[in-house]
Amino acid sequence: MVAVDVFILISGWFSIKPRILSICSFLFQIYFLKCLSLIIFVVLGKVKFCNEIFAELLMLKPDQGWFIKAYLLLYIVSPVLNKFSENTRPKIFSNVLIAYWVFLFLFGWITESTAYINNGYSIVSFIGLYLLGRYAKIYHPKWSDYSAKKYLSVYIITVAFFCCMIFIAGLFKLRHTDLIAWKFCSYISPLTVIGAMSLLLCFSKINLPYNKWINICGKSCFSVYLLHAMWGYWFDVLKKIDSLFEGFNYMIVVFAFLLVVYLGCILLDQLRLQVWKPIAKCFFDENGK
């Protein structure tokens, strides 16, 4: 569950630098992969093209492509957030962050009484995460200066706490087990936010040598998000695996399946990159203008 929050925190850590080339590349990646996957599945007979599929392709319903739409808006407002981050005194910045997250936790997570926060599925939480990432990067607060091991320990503790809570609730057959799971899985759950921040800070303390394969996967990781649902087909495959395997064999098969899907998405995105290069050269100069 920390993946989405980590993605936004990283965006804040390095800061989004809006350019027409970047946003066009982002939009091209979205629609190239969505259209390509749809064509493949229509040809294979796994999906029937209809008005509902067309609406999903264009993300016309509120719950369709929520991340893409929220991230695009974050991209648009990022210059304002960057100016605020770079020209605000640390004390004011930290006060704004504290007030912002108290508001999100109180009205978005504890009471869920504010619809536009939507448990973190919105631009409202993305702004908070982006600013949190910028603050940690620019001002190096005390809580960002510990070792990688300590941050990894914090992350493991958050995961262990979540698992224990769900396990105990399930063990005693509590009626609200699903509700407890949902609350802690929220993108603005303290467990999720602390876990995501500790994971980011953990890797910020590790000096890794240049690795071509890591960079390839890093550049194409968004394709995994775009293709992981694959018009609902992968979920049907997982259900089939669930009915055919059990125990340790089940774990091995699921892991292998997820690895194949992950690497397959990365490979498809390499095709997208090759198609995009000549297009970018035709319409943009070396400075991306």
Side-chain angles (χ1 to χ4, degrees):
M1 291 305 297
V2 300
V4 166
D5 286 7
V6 167
F7 193 95
I8 305 304
L9 286 169
I10 289 174
S11 298
W13 183 272
F14 291 106
S15 86
I16 296 173
K17 299 171 180 64
R19 292 190 303 164
I20 295 174
L21 174 62
S22 299
I23 199 165
C24 288
S25 176
F26 181 70
L27 292 170
F28 181 79
Q29 181 182 23
I30 292 166
Y31 286 104
F32 179 86
L33 292 175
K34 276 182 167 286
C35 290
L36 179 63
S37 62
L38 180 59
I39 290 168
I40 291 171
F41 274 75
V42 168
V43 170
L44 292 175
K46 302 297 183 182
V47 173
K48 290 183 179 180
F49 193 81
C50 59
N51 290 337
E52 188 175 336
I53 291 293
F54 184 71
E56 186 174 345
L57 182 67
L58 297 178
M59 301 175 289
L60 297 179
K61 294 182 180 179
D63 59 336
Q64 292 171 343
W66 72 270
F67 178 90
I68 295 167
K69 289 180 278 191
Y71 195 79
L72 277 173
L73 188 52
L74 180 67
Y75 200 97
I76 292 167
V77 301
S78 62
V80 178
L81 301 179
N82 292 339
K83 284 289 184 182
F84 170 79
S85 303
E86 294 157 11
N87 297 287
T88 303
R89 286 180 301 189
K91 184 64 176 176
I92 295 175
F93 199 159
S94 63
N95 287 342
V96 169
L97 274 177
I98 291 168
Y100 199 99
W101 280 102
V102 167
F103 183 90
L104 288 185
F105 288 146
L106 180 60
F107 296 106
W109 185 65
I110 296 174
T111 64
E112 295 185 40
S113 57
T114 310
Y116 57 79
I117 297 176
N118 197 24
N119 275 291
Y121 291 77
S122 68
I123 181 63
V124 179
S125 68
F126 280 19
I127 288 173
L129 290 165
Y130 186 89
L131 290 176
L132 185 60
R134 289 302 299 136
Y135 180 75
K137 176 66 174 179
I138 296 172
Y139 296 109
H140 305 288
K142 289 182 180 179
W143 49 263
S144 69
D145 282 335
Y146 297 107
S147 66
K149 287 183 179 179
K150 287 187 177 179
Y151 291 119
L152 183 60
S153 299
V154 171
Y155 174 69
I156 291 171
I157 288 169
T158 61
V159 174
F161 181 81
F162 169 78
C163 292
C164 288
M165 288 293 292
I166 304 307
F167 177 77
I168 292 169
L171 191 66
F172 289 98
K173 295 181 171 56
L174 297 180
R175 291 175 56 194
H176 301 298
T177 301
D178 289 343
L179 176 61
I180 294 170
W182 167 247
K183 292 293 283 186
F184 283 125
C185 280
S186 167
Y187 289 131
I188 55 170
S189 158
L191 281 183
T192 309
V193 175
I194 292 171
M197 194 71 229
S198 60
L199 202 60
L200 173 68
L201 291 172
C202 172
F203 277 91
S204 75
K205 306 298 178 183
I206 301 172
N207 292 319
L208 293 173
Y210 173 81
N211 186 293
K212 180 176 73 172
W213 302 109
I214 289 177
N215 285 337
I216 288 173
C217 291
K219 288 179 181 178
S220 295
C221 67
F222 188 60
S223 67
V224 182
Y225 168 78
L226 292 172
L227 298 173
H228 81 286
M230 199 63 99
W231 309 100
Y233 180 68
W234 295 139
F235 299 112
D236 293 334
V237 174
L238 283 170
K239 288 177 184 177
K240 188 147 190 175
I241 292 172
D242 186 55
S243 66
L244 294 174
F245 300 93
E246 59 184 22
F248 191 65
N249 289 337
Y250 170 78
M251 293 172 66
I252 292 174
V253 172
V254 167
F255 178 78
F257 170 72
L258 295 177
L259 185 62
V260 168
V261 169
Y262 178 82
L263 294 177
C265 293
I266 299 294
L267 285 172
L268 271 180
D269 197 54
Q270 301 312 301
L271 173 63
R272 185 269 309 178
L273 285 169
Q274 294 306 312
V275 174
W276 171 247
K277 284 179 182 177
I279 296 174
K281 283 184 179 180
C282 287
F283 293 97
F284 302 96
D285 59 24
E286 292 180 357
N287 297 317
K289 295 181 179 179

